Amino acid sequence: MSNVVPMKQEMQFKPSPKSVFYMKDIGQVAKTVEFFSKASMLPKHFKGEEGKANFAIALMHAQDVGLTVMSAIKNIAVINGVPCMWGSARLAVAQRHPDFEYIQEEFITKGEQVTGAKCTIKRRGYPPYSYT
């Protein structure tokens, strides 16, 4: 039995066109969680009753931002009850946005030595944003 509370509420998430696991309600999320929870390749933090609930949160968050189930497994962690994307998933989601124009990453050097890095991101209608 799962800690996921069954609800008949329709989810308003946009499916990823690549995902074969589009979940339209919490019942389908629960079935997906149960299916994947039996896999040995599922990260340990998504195992057990609390892990299954966290996995359900991660799946709903992934679907909300357009990631596939497999991307959720690899790129979302639930920290203190909050789904957090990490790694290249954050950039991938940003790059899919229609207002994304470019990202430029460069090293800051002093002579031959790398002393830092600079990242500049451009969104349509806004000036470039840089941080070091």
Side-chain angles (χ1 to χ4, degrees):
M1 182 105 186
S2 172
N3 280 344
V4 176
V5 178
M7 297 171 62
K8 294 295 180 188
Q9 178 178 342
E10 183 81 15
M11 291 186 196
Q12 300 301 315
F13 304 143
K14 297 175 185 169
S16 168
K18 295 180 181 177
S19 181
V20 295
F21 293 101
Y22 172 65
M23 300 158 285
K24 69 176 186 165
D25 59 42
I26 199 74
Q28 290 180 347
V29 172
K31 285 180 185 177
T32 303
V33 167
E34 283 302 316
F35 174 79
F36 278 94
S37 69
K38 296 175 178 119
S40 62
M41 68 179 274
L42 190 70
K44 290 180 183 176
H45 63 272
F46 288 146
K47 299 265 186 180
E49 291 304 309
E50 183 178 339
K52 287 180 185 179
N54 286 340
F55 187 35
I57 292 168
L59 288 178
M60 290 185 285
H61 178 68
Q63 189 165 306
D64 196 26
V65 298
L67 295 175
T68 64
V69 172
M70 294 308 290
S71 291
I73 291 170
K74 295 184 284 186
N75 297 294
I76 296 180
V78 179
I79 302 169
N80 294 328
V82 179
C84 304
M85 281 191 293
W86 60 279
S88 59
R90 292 185 304 175
L91 180 58
V93 169
Q95 287 175 322
R96 277 200 309 225
H97 194 279
D99 289 340
F100 179 87
E101 288 189 10
Y102 67 83
I103 183 170
Q104 180 181 357
E105 298 170 305
E106 56 191 291
F107 291 112
I108 299 170
T109 58
K110 193 175 225 180
E112 297 275 327
Q113 180 136 6
V114 175
T115 60
K118 178 180 176 183
C119 180
T120 303
I121 300 172
K122 176 69 173 87
R123 182 178 178 184
R124 189 177 334 280
Y126 293 87
Y129 175 77
S130 296
Y131 58 94
T132 54

